[in-house]
Amino acid sequence: MEKVMVFLVYVDTAELCLANIFLICYRFCKRHRIKSNSNVPCVPKDLLMMSELVLPQFIFSLIQHLREGYNEPALDLPSEKDLHKILQVLEPHVSFLEDLTKMGGAMRSVLTQVLTSQQFYKDLSSGVGENTCAKKSHEKYLIALKGSGLAFPEDKIACGMQEQGAGTSTLSVQGLTGATATSGQGDSSDEEDQDGSQGVGKRKRVKLSSTTKDQSIMDVLKHKCFLEELLFWTIKYEFPQKMVTFLLNMLPDQDYKIAFTKTFVQHYAFIMKTLKKSHESDTMSNRIVHISVQLFSNEELARQVTEECQLLDIMVTVLLYMMESCLIKSELQDEENSLHVVVNCGEALLKNNTYWPLVSDFINILSHQSVAKKFLEDHGLLVTWMNFVSFFQGMNLNKRELNEHVEFESQTYYAAFAAELEACAQPMWGLLSHCKVRETQEYTRNVVRYCLEALQDWFDAINFVDEPAPNQVTFHLPLHRYFAMFLSKAVKCQELDLDTILPDQEMLMKLMIHPLQIQASLSEIHSNMWVRNGLQIKGQAMTYVQSHFCNSMIDPDIYLLQVCASRLDPDYFISSVFERFKVVDLLTMASQHQNTVLDSEHERSMLEGALTFLVLLLSLRLHLGMTDDEILRAEMVAQLCMNDRTHSSLLDLIPENPNPKSGIIPGSLSFESVLSAVADFKAPVFEPGGSMQQGMYTPKAQVWDKEFDPVMVILRTVYRRDVQSAMDRYTAFLKQSGKFPGNPWPPYKKRTPLHPSYRGLIKLLHCKTLHIVLFTLLYKILMDHQNLSEHVLCMVLYLIELGLENSPEQESDEEESAGRQERCHDSWFPGSNLVSNMRHFINYVRVRVPETAPEVKREPPASTSSDGLASSQSSRRKSLQRENSGTAQVFSLVAERRKKFQEIINRNTSEANQVVRPKTSMKWSAPGATPQLTTAILEVKESILSLLIKLHHKLSGKQNSYYPPWLDDVDVLIHPEIPRYSHGDGMTAVERILLKAAVQSRLNKRIIEEICRKVTPPVPPKKISSAEKKTLDKEERRQKARERQQKLLAEFASRQKSFMETAMDVESPDADIAMEVATSEQHISEAIYDCVICGQSGPSTEDRPTGLVVLLQASSVLGQCRNSTEPKRLPTTEEEQIYPWDTCAALHDVRLTTLQRYFKDSSCLQAVSIGWEGGVYVQTCGHTLHIDCHKSYMESLRNDQVLQGFSVDKGEFTCPLCRQFANSVLPCYPGNNMERSVWQSHSNKCMQDLVQEVEDLQEQLGTFPVSISSETNLSKEMESVMKDIKSTTQKKYTDYSKTPGSPDNDFLFMYSVARTNLELELVHRGGNLCSGGASTAGKRSCLNQLFHVLAMHMRLYSIDSAYNPWRKLTQPSQDKNSELVSEELPEVPVLYRDVSSLLLIQILTMPQPLHRGYIQWRKILGSIAGSCD
């Protein structure tokens, strides 16, 4: 008998969390296999006769029990409990069947015969007769069958009447508003009613493909054997484990396996419907996959059921029906008239990944080449699949919040990214793996064809013409990415001509818009323009480029934009980029401009984003010529340059690609060999604390020297700080190796040659529009307009160098002549070649500026062209001055070209009866928003070469800094790749560019020399060696550094002297006036706080206060201080105590008890401080947030079902930014405190007036700007935090009065809290509040905010003038007389009182913050103390 071993191998994947189970059958050896065919004896029939007679009745009895135990959920019966009871009753029956399967192949053959026999099933099912119980169970069975199909009655009629040919859509849109038509099937109607409540405007219904041969598969199920009904009840009972085990144990029987697979496919739609309704979808999903993977992993079996049971049609259609239940109307582009529907990412179907078993099965069968071939050849299936993918096109739309912060941050983007990756991208990679050779060209053509048809339908459905809707972005464009990746595969592996499968120009213009909008939105998000949308929008931006998603998202988008750029007009593409990034108005040479679509604070970062995107677009070669091994090496180098990595983290950070690739899946070059070539391993080391640091891989020196690519680092960084980390490590390497001592710029890395199909991409570097932008930005940087950043200059120089590296071999005279013919009054450059345009001088530029700009006063010269224009231009100039356009002159030519280009496209693509569609964009100009501008003539007289030379002078800080190196060494023109130009700063980059420009053109070389001679006196250069030149440069730099240092030191010394004179001479009236002026200037500016929840910055106000995140803790640390330095010892006898009597807490306890024995109780509670035991310590992490944001945050924590390590009901939470534990928020006092105006200069007042002024201020409680009675949000929060402070410690530590509940207790407690925090602050600062100790960096102080809260509450208590401590200090003689008359216990004498407590009482009963002018208190107290003595 054949022995079979089944191995279940579970392979976890990072994103799908699937379990792949492979069935591997082995016989013991070849001898046994040979003999097994003929010499295996048959089992005697008599031995199996009993089984053949009993098993049909036994299995039918099992089915009867399953029928009787089932109740429809619609009947409101406790069906789930009943199901579990029935399963428990039937467990012995199923266990018996499971034991039979272990008896060998003979018994499994009998079971197979019984389970698959139609005659057995027919005989037993028809023999119900007059049995009432059997009839009832049969009726339940028929009721359960009603909801087993997918097709609705109207669908059946439509399917019978319509026939669809290949290449036509398999989806029809039915205009059903609200709930769809109900059917006679109970669960189906419920499902449709639920869907109708979502308000879907248009519902897409699925029609079967024309290739489907058996329409009854999607109808109500009809069972013909025990196996079919047994699987049906297994599904109804949600795959009980015992039943699943029995069904799987039968798989070694080949006949059973084929029959079971066909039955499984027959019930596939029913499985989907049951899975959607299940309350335990995770458990059910795992058990479905345990079965399906064993069935579909066998290629021969998968091919057989594909041919006989239409498996592909079933799977695609089931997926369509599954997603149809959660469709909503798309709001992308045209919200009102859109006909497109997308999946609702908030539905449980997507949030819980309920769809993944079905998608997993689809990916599994597509891994078989024979099955994938049938899919790619079937045009109807491709159309159906593209319609399915279109459900995810534009999902999870983000709309930018412009006014208020979003109330609730949706987390649906998790489901959206997972859905696109699993349901769209993974099947795409599976199909791509079968399109590797030229023979599969037709497959790629089919996919591209139907993908373009789906894209055109999508554009029509959303009413898209040529401009995206403003303030909208979706990161999900799977149709674009299908199109892009199959294009890449066609060129890279199948040697297809790219032009034969690309659409026309108009379609390419549409295809580029939405991927380009994503790139612009990334810059907007990083520029904090989407801050009101919350942190979730940043999460989407980071997920879009994260390693698990980038291969399926940002990389295809960049590649598609590269393809579009290589085929479209370069001027059109460049101008579109700057329009999408909203920086067109910034690209003017005028000193002032007005941007109608972008705030000035965002202009710089958006310009950086636009230039960085162009660098990425023109530099990346991931799909344009790099091999898989080169890609793996570049990815690994980029990750290692950011940080040292462990082996596991590096494996995780390398972008995943389901295609065979080095290291991840065995390929041509292993992961380990690449890693050993680019990195060195640092062995684990022990840290001083005893913990061991993991072993890390760090880049080799040659990698930093030759392979560090900042462009690749920018592409792969999830956090912007990683780019700076890479540059810091690069800087450290250059300094350690002695290659460059300063702060280097990102190095320029030579690019891999482009594939010939993409040579058109180089046209972007050689178009007038880009040259105009580069010239304008160089000019603005040189003139310090708008304070452009160093990053902008770096990207500008990078683009120029890219253009020189990829320039035509020789300059074209024809191009220049053509340029002269088309030149008009606003033409800038004669041609499109960067090499020649670099030397072209521009004398005057006409700009549009505000009327207040300095350029308006300049009289226009006679000519505005570098070559001179006709005098008739004066009339043109007058007409231009009358124009009312906000667009800078730099783009006027581009606008005309775009208009002409669009006209050509519309004319070529329009038919005889087709009307050109009007342009619908109103994004860049709003009615009444155009600023009042006037035309001015700006004198420039510069070229790109001259600007670069002057820029070198500016960067070096000295005139005539650039000297052409070829004048000393002609060899540099022959071998321009000099190592000294490889690493350096901005001056090195300029020198490298000028050298390349001179190498490529003799005219450029001559003009560079002429420019240098004009700037430098024509003195023949002195012949000096390179070593001497370096020495002179170093000495000159050192001298200038010394001069700057001396100048700064002198300035600092002057300021220090002035400050000391002002601070120390308190008796000087002039000094007091200076101090008052200084303090008044400080008070004008308000403190600005950043909310870590909403991200907005602003001052704290009474209506919307800001608070510090704080942790309130009861502390008894101060009470353990002792005067004795003798160490503590554990007690060994009964007389000894572990807590000695001389602790600080014990001494203060004795002191308060003694005072209360001899003096008045209320006076005693003002003479000491408490808090030595059970005091409240307030500490903060330093982060601030709005109080209302904090309340929303706490509400979200209460609703969060995730297990937390703190109690939200008690006010506990973690800081949203740093995750430190906290339990309260301390309000920040508004910065514009009007009470400060009360304080006047008092230097000329006498002592009595000052004493009276302090007393009056203490009594004016109503003047405090915030009080409980005012009922502002700030006062409410101050009252709330005071309650939190009181509830932090135990009541016994707050009630020391002889009269319980006395207000004196609260008064004592509040100033004691200030004392406790001051004492602990002293501990942290090393005993000095002024200088601070070593630990101050790790601890942030909140004393300022705490004192405000305590002062507000202390000033609410009225202190009788007779017992006011201030009067006790200032009028001691009157106090003595009053004490003689009184018969009660006396007041505590002043000299018996705690001095620190007295000072805190005075401070906290005065208006906050305490004015610096009252520093004379020290003299007052000193004089009073002297009089008391």
Side-chain angles (χ1 to χ4, degrees):
M1 185 171 58
E2 185 180 54
K3 301 279 186 175
V4 179
M5 295 187 296
V6 180
F7 295 91
L8 302 181
V9 183
Y10 295 85
V11 182
D12 294 331
T13 59
E15 295 299 325
L16 304 179
C17 303
L18 301 177
N20 293 333
I21 311 173
F22 299 93
L23 180 63
I24 309 169
C25 298
Y26 293 102
R27 290 179 174 88
F28 283 112
C29 65
K30 293 182 179 180
R31 292 181 180 179
H32 289 87
R33 189 183 312 140
I34 294 172
K35 293 181 179 180
S36 62
N37 295 330
S38 57
N39 299 331
V40 175
C42 296
V43 179
K45 292 184 179 181
D46 296 341
L47 186 62
L48 299 177
M49 185 178 299
M50 182 64 69
S51 301
E52 293 173 353
L53 293 175
V54 173
L55 280 178
Q57 294 290 343
F58 183 82
I59 293 176
F60 183 70
S61 174
L62 174 64
I63 289 177
Q64 286 283 76
H65 279 85
L66 292 171
R67 290 176 177 180
E68 293 171 3
Y70 182 76
N71 291 309
E72 279 294 320
L75 301 178
D76 295 329
L77 297 176
S79 57
E80 291 187 12
K81 294 182 179 178
D82 291 346
L83 291 180
H84 289 297
K85 290 181 180 178
I86 293 297
L87 292 176
Q88 289 178 359
V89 171
L90 295 179
E91 186 173 346
H93 299 70
V94 182
S95 299
F96 173 70
L97 290 176
E98 187 179 348
D99 292 337
L100 291 179
T101 62
K102 300 176 182 178
M103 296 178 66
M107 185 56 69
R108 284 196 294 268
S109 298
V110 174
L111 283 169
T112 301
Q113 182 181 358
V114 173
L115 289 171
T116 59
S117 173
Q118 296 185 16
Q119 190 62 40
F120 282 153
Y121 182 77
K122 183 178 180 181
D123 294 341
L124 291 174
S125 297
S126 61
V128 175
E130 299 298 328
N131 190 334
T132 306
C133 183
K135 278 186 176 182
K136 187 176 180 181
S137 65
H138 188 69
E139 290 174 359
K140 286 187 176 183
Y141 164 63
L142 294 178
I143 293 173
L145 276 179
K146 285 185 178 180
S148 60
L150 283 185
F152 296 97
E154 65 270 19
D155 293 337
K156 298 177 188 176
I157 297 172
C159 290
M161 297 176 61
Q162 297 178 356
E163 291 184 3
Q164 296 179 341
T168 60
S169 176
T170 58
L171 292 179
S172 64
V173 179
Q174 299 180 358
L176 300 177
T177 305
T180 58
T182 59
S183 66
Q185 304 166 4
D187 53 354
S188 299
S189 61
D190 293 342
E191 180 182 336
E192 289 299 314
D193 291 339
Q194 182 182 359
D195 299 337
S197 65
Q198 299 174 6
V200 180
K202 297 288 185 179
R203 179 60 60 92
K204 287 191 176 183
R205 282 292 179 79
V206 182
K207 306 299 180 188
L208 288 178
S209 169
S210 59
T211 57
T212 302
K213 301 173 183 177
D214 188 3
Q215 298 287 353
S216 63
I217 292 180
M218 309 309 294
D219 205 345
V220 175
L221 292 170
K222 296 178 182 178
H223 297 143
K224 300 177 182 178
C225 63
F226 288 127
L227 179 61
E228 293 177 358
E229 187 171 349
L230 197 61
L231 180 60
F232 171 79
W233 289 115
T234 302
I235 298 169
K236 271 290 186 182
Y237 282 80
E238 298 186 3
F239 291 88
Q241 184 61 54
K242 280 282 185 181
M243 194 72 74
V244 171
T245 305
F246 162 65
L247 295 174
L248 289 178
N249 285 349
M250 288 291 297
L251 285 178
D253 189 287
Q254 193 64 24
D255 294 334
Y256 169 84
K257 185 172 184 179
I258 295 173
F260 180 67
T261 304
K262 291 181 179 180
T263 304
F264 189 82
V265 174
Q266 178 189 357
H267 288 75
Y268 205 76
F270 183 53
I271 292 173
M272 179 270 292
K273 296 188 72 173
T274 308
L275 178 62
K276 282 174 57 178
K277 297 178 181 180
S278 174
H279 297 292
E280 297 181 358
S281 58
D282 289 343
T283 303
M284 185 175 174
S285 298
N286 288 327
R287 292 175 181 173
I288 292 173
V289 172
H290 289 171
I291 298 174
S292 62
V293 175
Q294 295 201 51
L295 303 180
F296 300 143
S297 294
N298 187 314
E299 181 172 1
E300 182 61 29
L301 185 58
R303 183 192 58 78
Q304 182 178 350
V305 293
T306 300
E307 294 175 351
E308 298 179 7
C309 302
Q310 295 81 44
L311 176 60
L312 286 171
D313 290 270
I314 296 296
M315 282 189 168
V316 174
T317 308
V318 165
L319 281 170
L320 277 166
Y321 268 89
M322 192 175 202
M323 291 303 172
E324 189 193 27
S325 64
C326 60
L327 293 181
I328 58 173
K329 183 178 178 180
S330 174
E331 297 180 354
L332 181 65
Q333 194 69 25
D334 190 349
E335 183 175 348
E336 296 181 356
N337 302 318
S338 176
L339 299 178
H340 182 56
V341 289
V342 293
V343 293
N344 180 10
C345 299
E347 290 283 342
L349 178 68
L350 272 78
K351 287 199 300 185
N352 300 332
N353 287 356
T354 309
Y355 56 85
W356 78 261
L358 311 183
V359 173
S360 170
D361 293 343
F362 187 62
I363 296 170
N364 196 7
I365 65 169
L366 287 182
S367 65
H368 307 311
Q369 187 171 1
S370 58
V371 179
K373 179 181 177 182
K374 289 185 176 295
F375 182 85
L376 293 169
E377 289 174 346
D378 192 326
H379 294 205
L381 269 177
L382 287 175
V383 172
T384 308
W385 180 251
M386 289 305 165
N387 279 282
F388 170 77
V389 174
S390 69
F391 288 165
F392 302 88
Q393 180 87 354
M395 63 177 169
N396 196 39
L397 180 66
N398 299 284
K399 297 180 180 180
R400 182 183 167 203
E401 295 290 336
L402 300 176
N403 299 319
E404 297 181 356
H405 193 277
V406 64
E407 293 183 5
F408 175 74
E409 292 189 26
S410 174
Q411 300 299 320
T412 55
Y413 77 91
Y414 293 114
F417 278 93
E420 182 175 351
L421 185 69
E422 296 176 13
C424 300
Q426 293 292 344
M428 177 189 72
W429 290 111
L431 293 172
L432 285 168
S433 64
H434 302 295
C435 300
K436 300 179 182 177
V437 293
R438 295 190 61 181
E439 290 72 21
T440 58
Q441 287 183 357
E442 194 59 32
Y443 300 155
T444 300
R445 291 183 186 274
N446 291 340
V447 175
V448 170
R449 171 188 170 186
Y450 295 115
C451 187
L452 284 174
E453 288 184 4
L455 281 166
Q456 185 60 59
D457 292 342
W458 180 67
F459 287 133
D460 294 339
I462 65 173
N463 296 319
F464 178 77
V465 180
D466 62 349
E467 295 282 355
N471 301 317
Q472 285 187 352
V473 65
T474 174
F475 288 93
H476 305 286
L477 305 171
L479 287 175
H480 287 75
R481 289 150 192 168
Y482 265 74
F483 177 68
M485 295 315 299
F486 275 92
L487 283 183
S488 174
K489 184 65 67 173
V491 176
K492 187 174 183 179
C493 300
Q494 298 173 329
E495 301 178 4
L496 265 174
D497 183 7
L498 187 60
D499 292 322
T500 61
I501 53 178
L502 282 178
D504 56 19
Q505 297 273 309
E506 184 179 7
M507 188 62 176
L508 285 177
M509 291 164 62
K510 290 182 178 181
L511 286 173
M512 65 170 270
I513 294 299
H514 291 92
L516 181 58
Q517 182 72 8
I518 292 178
Q519 309 311 313
S521 298
L522 286 176
S523 291
E524 292 179 0
I525 292 168
H526 291 305
S527 302
N528 290 328
M529 293 174 61
W530 289 70
V531 68
R532 290 183 177 89
N533 289 70
L535 294 177
Q536 58 89 20
I537 193 67
K538 286 192 174 182
Q540 293 185 57
M542 292 190 298
T543 307
Y544 176 70
V545 301
Q546 200 257 351
S547 61
H548 299 294
F549 296 87
C550 62
N551 262 347
S552 303
M553 292 201 167
I554 186 173
D555 290 355
D557 290 350
I558 295 290
Y559 169 71
L560 181 58
L561 289 170
Q562 289 173 324
V563 172
C564 294
S566 67
R567 295 303 187 270
L568 291 175
D569 179 74
D571 293 305
Y572 169 82
F573 188 88
I574 292 294
S575 60
S576 298
V577 169
F578 287 105
E579 284 182 6
R580 292 285 79 76
F581 280 82
K582 305 178 182 178
V583 292
V584 175
D585 291 337
L586 176 63
L587 299 175
T588 174
M589 299 183 68
S591 59
Q592 299 179 11
H593 73 280
Q594 294 183 0
N595 197 327
T596 58
V597 293
L598 196 65
D599 295 337
S600 58
E601 62 191 53
H602 300 136
E603 280 186 330
R604 184 196 300 180
S605 57
M606 288 301 293
L607 179 61
E608 292 175 358
L611 294 173
T612 303
F613 164 71
L614 283 177
V615 169
L616 288 172
L617 189 81
L618 295 165
S619 301
L620 291 179
R621 300 289 188 266
L622 296 178
H623 294 281
L624 306 186
M626 292 179 70
T627 64
D628 288 343
D629 297 336
E630 290 174 339
I631 292 173
L632 175 61
R633 188 180 182 101
E635 298 276 9
M636 195 175 294
V637 167
Q639 294 296 337
L640 288 170
C641 288
M642 297 181 209
N643 282 298
D644 291 344
R645 308 285 188 186
T646 62
H647 190 279
S648 58
S649 65
L650 196 58
L651 269 173
D652 186 58
L653 289 170
I654 298 298
E656 293 182 354
N657 190 340
N659 284 338
K661 184 179 177 181
S662 309
I664 310 301
I665 298 176
S668 58
L669 190 63
S670 68
F671 181 91
E672 298 299 332
S673 61
V674 175
L675 182 58
S676 61
V678 301
D680 294 323
F681 180 70
K682 295 192 300 185
V685 294
F686 282 96
E687 295 178 347
S691 60
M692 187 176 72
Q693 185 180 4
Q694 285 184 287
M696 295 281 189
Y697 285 92
T698 186
K700 293 179 180 291
Q702 63 184 18
V703 169
W704 287 115
D705 194 21
K706 302 292 184 182
E707 299 185 51
F708 172 50
D709 185 6
V711 176
M712 196 69 185
V713 171
I714 291 174
L715 179 69
R716 290 295 180 244
T717 48
V718 178
Y719 303 99
R720 291 300 178 94
R721 61 174 178 264
D722 291 337
V723 179
Q724 186 59 45
S725 173
M727 282 304 302
D728 292 341
R729 289 158 60 83
Y730 172 68
T731 303
F733 162 76
L734 293 182
K735 290 181 178 179
Q736 291 174 3
S737 60
K739 294 181 180 294
F740 187 76
N743 293 321
W745 277 22
Y748 177 83
K749 185 177 182 294
K750 199 166 183 177
R751 298 289 133 190
T752 305
L754 275 173
H755 189 280
S757 298
Y758 310 108
R759 289 295 299 172
L761 188 64
I762 301 302
K763 293 188 299 183
L764 291 186
L765 293 167
H766 297 279
C767 71
K768 291 183 180 181
T769 305
L770 182 63
H771 301 168
I772 292 171
V773 171
L774 299 178
F775 181 90
T776 303
L777 292 176
L778 285 174
Y779 182 83
K780 293 172 77 71
I781 292 171
L782 189 64
M783 298 299 174
D784 290 326
H785 289 173
Q786 281 80 42
N787 192 23
L788 297 182
S789 64
E790 189 179 83
H791 182 72
V792 171
L793 176 58
C794 180
M795 294 295 101
V796 167
L797 297 182
Y798 206 99
L799 288 171
I800 294 175
E801 194 161 3
L802 271 176
L804 293 175
E805 287 282 350
N806 298 275
S807 61
E809 295 182 0
Q810 56 183 4
E811 300 175 24
S812 174
D813 295 334
E814 295 179 1
E815 184 183 8
E816 292 188 7
S817 63
R820 280 192 289 271
Q821 291 176 3
E822 68 172 78
R823 188 185 309 168
C824 58
H825 65 276
D826 54 4
S827 178
W828 288 56
F829 294 103
S832 59
N833 191 346
L834 178 62
V835 178
S836 59
N837 286 347
M838 287 184 71
R839 60 176 178 265
H840 178 73
F841 273 83
I842 297 174
N843 294 330
Y844 299 98
V845 172
R846 184 176 292 106
V847 294
R848 302 285 293 172
V849 294
E851 296 179 354
T852 57
E855 291 87 351
V856 177
K857 300 178 182 180
R858 180 169 300 186
E859 291 296 329
S863 174
T864 60
S865 172
S866 59
D867 297 329
L869 296 175
S871 60
S872 61
Q873 278 195 340
S874 60
S875 61
R876 294 182 183 177
R877 187 180 306 115
K878 292 179 181 178
S879 63
L880 280 173
Q881 291 176 354
R882 292 193 296 269
E883 293 179 359
N884 189 20
S885 171
T887 306
Q889 189 65 26
V890 62
F891 271 100
S892 59
L893 175 62
V894 177
E896 292 297 325
R897 289 191 174 184
R898 288 189 62 192
K899 182 179 179 181
K900 293 179 181 178
F901 190 70
Q902 185 66 43
E903 290 175 356
I904 294 172
I905 295 299
N906 290 332
R907 185 170 60 251
N908 291 341
T909 57
S910 61
E911 299 177 359
N913 59 349
Q914 182 181 3
V915 180
V916 178
R917 286 172 290 185
K919 189 171 181 179
T920 59
S921 171
M922 294 185 297
K923 183 175 183 181
W924 305 111
S925 59
T930 305
Q932 295 297 325
L933 301 177
T934 184
T935 302
I937 303 300
L938 184 65
E939 182 180 355
V940 180
K941 295 186 177 180
E942 298 287 355
S943 67
I944 293 180
L945 289 177
S946 66
L947 289 174
L948 288 173
I949 293 173
K950 292 181 179 180
L951 193 61
H952 189 279
H953 300 166
K954 182 177 180 179
L955 293 174
S956 65
K958 60 181 179 180
Q959 290 293 327
N960 311 327
S961 61
Y962 180 72
Y963 181 78
W966 57 83
L967 296 180
D968 290 338
D969 186 6
V970 185
D971 292 340
V972 297
L973 296 175
I974 304 173
H975 305 288
E977 301 296 334
I978 302 176
R980 71 186 180 95
Y981 290 127
S982 300
H983 310 284
D985 52 10
M987 291 188 296
T988 308
V990 172
E991 292 170 2
R992 188 171 61 242
I993 291 172
L994 292 173
L995 179 59
K996 291 181 179 180
V999 168
Q1000 295 198 19
S1001 172
R1002 286 176 295 177
L1003 286 175
N1004 285 348
K1005 172 177 171 292
R1006 179 171 57 82
I1007 290 178
I1008 290 173
E1009 294 173 1
E1010 290 178 358
I1011 295 172
C1012 291
R1013 281 197 296 268
K1014 288 179 181 178
V1015 177
T1016 308
V1019 178
K1022 180 182 178 182
K1023 299 291 183 180
I1024 58 175
S1025 64
S1026 58
E1028 292 175 348
K1029 184 178 180 181
K1030 287 183 180 179
T1031 304
L1032 291 175
D1033 288 344
K1034 287 182 180 180
E1035 288 297 329
E1036 188 172 357
R1037 286 198 297 269
R1038 287 175 182 171
Q1039 180 63 27
K1040 289 197 171 185
R1042 283 194 294 269
E1043 293 175 359
R1044 286 196 298 269
Q1045 185 178 14
Q1046 291 175 359
K1047 184 178 179 181
L1048 286 174
L1049 288 175
E1051 185 177 356
F1052 288 154
S1054 175
R1055 290 183 180 180
Q1056 185 179 16
K1057 182 179 178 182
S1058 175
F1059 173 78
M1060 292 298 294
E1061 290 176 352
T1062 304
M1064 297 302 294
D1065 190 9
V1066 295
E1067 296 293 341
S1068 171
D1070 296 336
D1072 289 334
I1073 293 172
M1075 185 180 296
E1076 289 296 328
V1077 172
T1079 55
S1080 64
E1081 290 177 354
Q1082 293 176 0
H1083 294 164
I1084 293 174
S1085 61
E1086 295 181 342
I1088 302 299
Y1089 302 99
D1090 296 325
C1091 178
V1092 298
I1093 294 179
C1094 68
Q1096 298 185 40
S1097 300
S1100 178
T1101 62
E1102 294 187 14
D1103 294 332
R1104 196 187 187 196
T1106 306
L1108 268 176
V1109 178
V1110 296
L1111 175 64
L1112 307 177
Q1113 283 182 305
S1115 173
S1116 300
V1117 173
L1118 295 175
Q1120 305 305 315
C1121 298
R1122 297 191 307 148
N1123 289 330
S1124 174
T1125 58
E1126 184 179 349
K1128 292 183 179 180
R1129 291 179 297 180
L1130 289 174
T1132 55
T1133 62
E1134 294 182 359
E1135 291 78 12
E1136 296 180 358
Q1137 296 181 359
I1138 189 170
Y1139 298 109
W1141 60 270
D1142 61 343
T1143 61
C1144 184
L1147 291 176
H1148 280 84
D1149 245 354
V1150 172
R1151 182 177 184 182
L1152 178 58
T1153 304
T1154 305
L1155 289 175
Q1156 287 179 327
R1157 187 184 309 164
Y1158 299 103
F1159 300 103
K1160 192 175 181 179
D1161 184 62
S1162 59
S1163 176
C1164 295
L1165 297 183
Q1166 294 183 22
V1168 295
S1169 296
I1170 60 174
W1172 310 105
E1173 282 187 333
V1176 180
Y1177 180 38
V1178 186
Q1179 50 188 325
T1180 178
C1181 61
H1183 298 129
T1184 57
L1185 40 73
H1186 291 119
I1187 301 296
D1188 53 351
C1189 293
H1190 171 252
K1191 291 179 179 178
S1192 301
Y1193 175 61
M1194 295 298 293
E1195 191 64 29
S1196 66
L1197 290 179
R1198 290 188 184 95
N1199 298 331
D1200 194 357
Q1201 301 299 323
V1202 180
L1203 185 63
Q1204 298 165 339
F1206 49 85
S1207 175
V1208 181
D1209 294 333
K1210 296 180 180 179
E1212 297 174 352
F1213 63 97
T1214 56
C1215 174
L1217 186 59
C1218 65
R1219 299 301 174 189
Q1220 290 192 29
F1221 181 71
N1223 54 12
S1224 188
V1225 176
L1226 197 62
C1228 299
Y1229 202 76
N1232 54 348
N1233 187 358
M1234 299 303 298
E1235 190 181 24
R1236 290 166 179 166
S1237 61
V1238 176
W1239 297 90
Q1240 303 294 333
S1241 176
H1242 54 266
S1243 57
N1244 297 326
K1245 297 179 182 179
C1246 64
M1247 184 69 66
Q1248 292 181 353
D1249 293 338
L1250 289 175
V1251 169
Q1252 186 61 40
E1253 183 177 346
V1254 172
E1255 188 173 343
D1256 293 341
L1257 286 173
Q1258 288 181 335
E1259 293 177 356
Q1260 293 176 4
L1261 304 182
T1263 62
F1264 196 72
V1266 177
S1267 63
I1268 301 297
S1269 60
S1270 63
E1271 287 298 328
T1272 63
N1273 292 333
L1274 180 61
S1275 64
K1276 292 177 183 176
E1277 295 307 321
M1278 285 192 169
E1279 184 179 9
S1280 175
V1281 76
M1282 196 65 217
K1283 291 180 180 178
D1284 292 342
I1285 293 174
K1286 290 180 180 178
S1287 61
T1288 301
T1289 188
Q1290 299 180 27
K1291 186 169 179 60
K1292 66 177 182 178
Y1293 295 123
T1294 61
D1295 196 351
Y1296 287 89
S1297 174
K1298 294 179 179 179
T1299 306
S1302 171
D1304 295 328
N1305 282 318
D1306 295 336
F1307 195 81
L1308 169 64
F1309 174 74
M1310 284 184 284
Y1311 75 75
S1312 296
V1313 169
R1315 173 73 177 272
T1316 301
N1317 283 271
L1318 278 173
E1319 294 282 358
L1320 291 171
E1321 188 78 12
L1322 275 170
V1323 174
H1324 278 283
R1325 292 176 179 264
N1328 192 334
L1329 284 176
C1330 298
S1331 62
S1335 63
T1336 56
K1339 182 192 176 291
R1340 296 174 174 85
S1341 174
C1342 55
L1343 289 177
N1344 187 22
Q1345 290 78 8
L1346 179 63
F1347 270 51
H1348 274 298
V1349 173
L1350 296 174
M1352 188 198 83
H1353 287 82
M1354 284 189 65
R1355 297 192 67 199
L1356 295 178
Y1357 292 90
S1358 176
I1359 306 176
D1360 294 339
S1361 58
Y1363 304 108
N1364 192 335
W1366 179 251
R1367 292 179 62 86
K1368 297 290 183 182
L1369 285 170
T1370 56
Q1371 302 176 14
S1373 58
Q1374 296 180 10
D1375 293 339
K1376 291 179 181 179
N1377 297 332
S1378 61
E1379 289 175 4
L1380 293 175
V1381 179
S1382 175
E1383 296 179 358
E1384 299 178 359
L1385 290 175
E1387 295 275 333
V1388 178
V1390 173
L1391 294 182
Y1392 281 8
R1393 301 190 182 196
D1394 181 58
V1395 177
S1396 300
S1397 301
L1398 278 177
L1399 181 59
L1400 284 174
I1401 292 174
Q1402 301 307 320
I1403 291 175
L1404 294 176
T1405 54
M1406 295 285 286
Q1408 300 294 315
L1410 197 61
H1411 198 272
R1412 188 185 298 177
Y1414 282 85
I1415 194 69
Q1416 290 187 351
W1417 271 9
R1418 292 182 298 176
K1419 295 188 176 182
I1420 297 174
L1421 292 175
S1423 61
I1424 293 174
S1427 63
C1428 292
D1429 292 340

